Amino acid sequence: MKAKECQFVAEPPDSILLPKAFIIEKKVIECSRVVSLWIAPLEKNECAFKPGQFLMVYVFGVGEAAISLAGNGGDQGKYFLTVRAVGSVTRAIEQAKEKDILGIRGPFGNGWPIQEASTKDILLIAGGIGLPPLWSTIPFFLQNRSRYGRISLLYGVRTPQDILYKDKLESLSKGKDISVKIAVELATARTWNGHIGNVLNLISHAQFSPPSTIVFVCGPEPMMRFCAYTLLKYGIAKEHIYFSMERNMRCAIGSCGHCQFGPLFLCKNGPVFSYQTIEPFLNIAEI
Amino acid sequence: MPEPMFLEKKKILQRQDFGKLIDALHQEGYTIIGPVLSETAISYGEIQSETDLPIGWTDIQEAGKYQLKRRPDEALFGYNVGFQSMKKYLFPPRQRLFTVDKKAGRLTFVEENPQIQKYAFLGVRSCDLHAALIQDKIFSEGSSRDKAYVRRREEAFVIVVQCGQSSSCCFCLSMGTGPKAEGGFDLALTECIDRQQHFFLIEIGSLRGEKLISSLPLKDVKEEDLLFAARVIDNAKAQMTKVMDTKGIKELFYSNWEHPRWDDVASRCIACSTCTLVCPTCFCWTIEDSISLTDQKAERWKRWDFCYSMEFSHLPSGSVRSSIKSRYRQWLSHKLASWIDQFGMSGCVGCGRCITWCPVGIDITEEVAALRVQSKEDVS
Ligand SMILES: Cc1cc2nc3c(=O)[nH]c(=O)nc-3n(C[C@H](O)[C@H](O)[C@H](O)COP(=O)(O)OP(=O)(O)OC[C@H]3O[C@@H](n4cnc5c(N)ncnc54)[C@H](O)[C@@H]3O)c2cc1C
Ligand code: SF4
Ligand code: SF4
Ligand code: FES
């Protein structure tokens, strides 16, 4: 390496590390330990985002967590989020009330390659709390429905009580635009009258033509890996399978080093990656 | 900022006039940071006058060992790198990012606008200058640009002292980062000392540097001065025994994630984080949120973080890197391999600090050599 002159570019207008105040306009309990929030900025600005991007959500004095954008809940001026309470920050979000103020940074990340999906059959495969980031794509597909081939949403949960967005899923499955299939792992014929078992089993029930199919997957990492193995067997190309990845994130701007996955900064280069890109690192334990 | 056209400008400053350089820096309002003698090592601290410098001292370094020693002469800069570098000043270990006020349920976020100290760094080694250039990549470009860092860096007046010796832990020749700095400084000194003479060859690297020394009693350079200075650098090169073979090093790491050597080094490493603490390029940090007792005010701080902790990769489902093996591997593979993909350069400048200060004497050059044995792919 050769010593070079240091050159600095002009200042960006405002700090990317400073949260903006958002108000919780509406909150609903989805199921045990999972809540959905509609939040709006206190200062007027449009809530633009790309499906698959995420926000950093700050709770006063508690801390910050990465939360995917599940959409804007049908309102340009809002963000729609779904949060599962698993630790200090997410529990504080669960306990927040309507009209409470949160600090929001973002949106961050690359998002799903929606452009690439046009003319193709689409499989959206979600496991558990992996549904919200995929949910954000649905309005985009519906708005331009004729651009895409067959679209299937395959969703796996542990028990029937864990199903998120029940009403929305029901009305979506009534239409012809998107085929919705739900698999419940722990259920009996009495508690669930649909597919019982793993979300992977749903793939065989979906309609798609492997050479021109694009797949977006979000769920626990082992589930995503098995998903990829199954899809590869169907003949879907590695570069057409996309995962949304999770790691510890502190800054979301590619600076703090926490989200590294091999050479990738998940926050800046991701969180969405093609299987092709991450395969070399995916099977290395504790990378 | 350094300018190439000054690279060839050279002058001579006599030892007895050295104090005038310090005076000139003070007159320009700089806080001078340079080598100072602490009880057990040569560290970085504020320099009020030349007597604060470790005159006549040097050090002996080995893996896991550092010892101060008297020199036979009265050299001002006759030592090797200590455990500190410019990093702690340019990228402070703890910085407040913002405060939040809560009033009537409303939150007001107030960004910290830190006062920027005007630092002059005296005695910067070539490896450490390269380390700063590496940190510039992270903190001055793209989304990760840090305004306060950039301001500190722009203000910083850098006076390199070219190395005249090297420790048994130095390997800058392997990394292409020294022992002689060719640019990126305001001034570079080569300390020339023998029984008859004691002077500094000054290379001017910027307009600012030229202006600063304009009031000093300087002499023109003679051919024999240049030869003396060249011998000084040659001496540093000749003393350097440690090497790291960097050929195909990224591929070496990427094809050996499961090499048995990782278990071997994990059995020695105690995950104390010292290597990341002393490394001049390590940049990871974390966020600390706190709240006042009255619940009215909260703060966010940014502080250095270390990939050797379990928390670093914490997920609600548990730590991603729960074994020491995976954490050591993360550190070394980041430094020497994935850094190249991320920033187009190695994350190691060969300063040897991680070797000297490791309490159990782990030597990264030995670890790389061991990876090459039984390596899955022949990358040599
Ligand atoms: C890109 C992305 C999108 C996500 N989207 C959602 C979503 O839509 N809904 C949802 O419920 N969860 C989502 N998560 C997971 C969510 O961020 C974690 O569950 C949450 O950060 C846990 O924080 P905690 O304080 O509640 O838990 P704790 O286990 O108490 O965590 C302790 C600390 O570690 C940090 N931490 C732990 N895990 C993570 C993590 N994954 N990312 C960042 N910091 C972490 C937090 O700062 C926290 O303060 C997403 C994660 C990522 C990376
Ligand atoms: S890895 Fe070790 S030798 Fe390399 S720059 Fe860091 S401390 Fe110096
Ligand atoms: S390599 Fe040495 S200095 Fe680094 S964490 Fe392990 S024991 Fe500590
Ligand atoms: S979250 Fe900090 S680098 Fe990605």
Side-chain angles (χ1 to χ4, degrees):
Chain A
M1 196 182 89
K2 214 172 135 259
K4 61 157 194 22
E5 279 183 76
C6 345
Q7 274 171 355
F8 300 104
V9 292
E11 296 292 334
D14 63 331
S15 175
I16 201 163
L17 287 174
L18 192 70
K20 291 199 171 72
F22 274 61
I23 185 164
I24 301 175
E25 298 228 310
K26 186 175 160 196
K27 177 184 163 191
V28 300
I29 295 168
E30 293 284 351
C31 60
S32 164
R33 316 251 57 184
V34 182
V35 297
S36 285
L37 308 174
W38 284 257
I39 58 171
L42 284 186
E43 277 163 47
K44 278 259 168 298
N45 55 351
E46 209 190 319
C47 293
F49 71 98
K50 284 191 275 183
Q53 285 192 306
F54 64 95
L55 301 176
M56 294 303 283
V57 180
Y58 168 80
V59 182
F60 180 72
V62 182
E64 208 174 38
I67 301 296
S68 303
L69 277 153
N72 54 22
D75 182 339
Q76 296 296 329
K78 290 190 182 61
Y79 285 137
F80 174 54
L81 312 172
T82 300
V83 180
R84 187 167 62 142
V86 293
S88 48
V89 177
T90 47
R91 242 177 261 143
I93 297 174
E94 181 194 26
Q95 272 147 35
K97 293 181 288 291
E98 288 180 2
K99 304 288 167 237
D100 277 359
I101 307 292
L102 297 171
I104 299 292
R105 294 196 290 129
F108 297 111
N110 54 358
W112 302 104
I114 299 273
Q115 302 302 326
E116 240 184 87
S118 75
T119 74
K120 295 198 176 76
D121 288 340
I122 298 164
L123 293 181
L124 307 172
I125 308 181
I129 193 72
L131 182 63
L134 287 167
W135 193 256
S136 63
T137 63
I138 287 178
F140 284 77
F141 291 139
L142 291 179
Q143 262 161 37
N144 308 289
R145 185 63 192 88
S146 57
R147 259 193 231 161
Y148 308 99
R150 289 161 291 190
I151 306 179
S152 307
L153 171 63
L154 315 179
Y155 176 34
V157 288
R158 282 175 68 75
T159 74
Q161 288 76 46
D162 295 329
I163 299 173
L164 302 175
Y165 310 155
K166 274 193 198 91
D167 299 345
K168 299 188 190 88
L169 283 169
E170 213 158 283
S171 56
L172 189 65
S173 56
K174 281 196 189 113
K176 287 198 173 57
D177 290 327
I178 296 183
S179 147
V180 179
K181 293 184 166 49
I182 302 176
V184 178
E185 234 164 317
L186 305 174
T188 62
R190 261 198 292 147
T191 56
W192 175 244
N193 73 11
H195 296 274
I196 295 175
N198 197 282
V199 65
L200 300 185
N201 303 337
L202 296 176
I203 297 174
S204 64
H205 297 277
Q207 296 194 331
F208 60 96
S209 140
S212 65
T213 295
I214 192 159
V215 192
F216 298 168
V217 195
C218 188
E221 215 168 294
M223 167 257 176
M224 295 202 285
R225 275 204 302 268
F226 283 114
C227 227
Y229 303 152
T230 310
L231 295 164
L232 292 173
K233 278 194 210 129
Y234 277 91
I236 296 179
K238 287 177 185 175
E239 60 268 32
H240 290 156
I241 304 170
Y242 288 89
F243 287 4
S244 180
M245 297 288 292
E246 180 181 357
R247 279 294 179 274
N248 187 306
M249 288 186 186
R250 315 299 331 223
C251 72
I253 59 170
S255 175
C256 76
H258 278 260
C259 67
Q260 286 178 87
F261 181 68
L264 304 164
F265 290 103
L266 292 196
C267 66
K268 177 174 85 168
N269 310 121
V272 175
F273 295 96
S274 77
Y275 183 68
Q276 167 107 323
T277 306
I278 51 174
E279 188 192 13
F281 310 104
L282 210 51
N283 290 312
I284 297 152
E286 300 195 299
I287 195 165
Chain B
M1 285 300 97
E3 281 152 55
M5 63 178 142
F6 293 99
L7 287 184
E8 286 316 303
K9 281 213 170 182
K10 298 189 173 89
K11 288 282 173 196
I12 297 293
L13 177 73
Q14 288 301 329
R15 161 65 184 95
Q16 65 267 22
D17 297 322
F18 189 84
K20 299 194 173 105
L21 174 63
I22 291 179
D23 296 342
L25 289 166
H26 280 145
Q27 262 157 34
E28 286 296 311
Y30 287 108
T31 301
I32 307 175
I33 303 297
V36 293
L37 202 58
S38 73
E39 257 165 61
T40 51
I42 291 164
S43 63
Y44 253 23
E46 196 175 336
I47 305 286
Q48 301 288 359
S49 79
E50 62 173 56
T51 54
D52 293 328
L53 296 169
I55 300 174
W57 285 94
T58 190
D59 52 84
I60 301 174
Q61 302 190 27
E62 279 166 39
K65 199 175 144 204
Y66 181 100
Q67 215 183 339
L68 286 173
K69 206 187 129 195
R70 284 293 319 183
R71 286 177 63 95
D73 61 20
E74 294 292 296
L76 274 53
F77 299 95
Y79 59 90
N80 305 292
V81 286
F83 60 96
Q84 287 171 338
S85 61
M86 285 190 284
K87 178 169 96 169
K88 121 171 183 204
Y89 298 92
L90 296 172
F91 168 37
R94 264 173 73 77
Q95 304 166 64
R96 188 165 42 214
L97 290 174
F98 60 75
T99 51
V100 206
D101 283 311
K102 190 175 184 176
K103 271 205 197 91
R106 297 273 135 154
L107 302 186
T108 315
F109 294 89
V110 183
E111 192 175 12
E112 186 79 0
N113 188 14
Q115 259 216 326
I116 301 300
Q117 277 263 32
K118 220 175 127 182
Y119 286 123
F121 294 98
L122 175 62
V124 176
R125 300 300 189 184
S126 182
C127 56
D128 283 353
L129 180 63
H130 282 81
L133 295 172
I134 288 173
Q135 289 219 322
D136 289 350
K137 272 284 224 218
I138 300 144
F139 294 133
S140 69
E141 292 177 14
S143 61
S144 56
R145 181 184 165 84
D146 172 348
K147 280 183 281 190
Y149 175 90
V150 171
R151 275 162 58 209
R152 278 186 212 105
R153 189 71 172 91
E154 280 172 338
E155 287 291 350
F157 191 96
V158 175
I159 305 179
V160 159
V161 173
Q162 310 285 21
C163 290
Q165 68 289 307
S166 58
S167 87
S168 78
C169 295
C170 295
F171 59 101
C172 62
L173 273 173
S174 300
M175 305 315 288
T177 54
K180 185 175 189 298
E182 303 291 351
F185 48 76
D186 292 292
L187 298 172
L189 315 180
T190 309
E191 183 169 21
C192 299
I193 180 168
D194 64 14
R195 277 199 202 93
Q196 285 82 42
Q197 22 179 9
H198 191 178
F199 66 89
F200 294 89
L201 172 75
I202 301 186
E203 296 163 78
I204 300 163
S206 71
L207 265 177
R208 198 164 62 165
E210 185 173 49
K211 188 164 156 272
L212 188 104
I213 58 169
S214 60
S215 61
L216 302 187
L218 301 170
K219 281 204 216 119
D220 286 338
V221 181
K222 293 193 295 285
E223 179 73 25
E224 62 215 55
D225 301 333
L226 289 176
L227 289 174
F228 198 148
R231 280 201 305 278
V232 169
I233 313 270
D234 284 344
N235 189 47
K237 285 185 189 163
Q239 284 180 6
M240 206 173 306
T241 49
K242 203 169 279 308
V243 287
M244 184 153 82
D245 178 4
T246 59
K247 204 160 141 221
I249 198 159
K250 192 178 95 182
E251 292 70 24
L252 176 75
F253 277 85
Y254 283 12
S255 51
N256 286 289
W257 298 108
E258 299 297 347
H259 194 287
R261 185 69 180 191
W262 296 122
D263 292 309
D264 184 288
V265 67
S267 72
R268 289 172 281 136
C269 173
I270 55 171
C272 65
S273 297
T274 304
C275 49
T276 68
L277 191 69
V278 296
C279 180
T281 69
C282 274
F283 62 84
C284 289
W285 54 274
T286 191
I287 281 170
E288 272 176 3
D289 285 300
S290 63
I291 189 162
S292 71
L293 288 173
T294 55
D295 262 17
Q296 304 285 299
K297 220 181 183 75
E299 293 188 341
R300 170 164 294 178
W301 288 74
K302 168 180 181 175
R303 70 151 175 83
W304 286 4
D305 205 4
F306 312 105
C307 56
Y308 280 96
S309 77
M310 289 260 266
E311 271 204 330
F312 189 88
S313 60
H314 168 91
L315 281 183
S317 53
S319 176
V320 172
R321 299 185 202 103
S322 58
S323 69
I324 292 189
K325 169 186 162 181
S326 66
R327 282 175 267 148
Y328 185 87
R329 188 181 64 185
Q330 167 61 25
W331 183 65
L332 199 64
S333 65
H334 184 213
K335 227 44 346 177
L336 297 173
S338 47
W339 206 297
I340 299 173
D341 273 336
Q342 293 169 348
F343 303 107
M345 51 175 72
S346 175
C348 174
V349 296
C351 70
R353 286 186 177 91
C354 58
I355 306 173
T356 301
W357 297 97
C358 174
V360 298
I362 293 171
D363 176 343
I364 64 168
T365 66
E366 275 173 21
E367 296 312 313
V368 170
L371 275 185
R372 291 192 184 272
V373 179
Q374 299 172 345
S375 135
K376 231 170 76 188
E377 244 164 56
D378 195 355
V379 286
S380 54

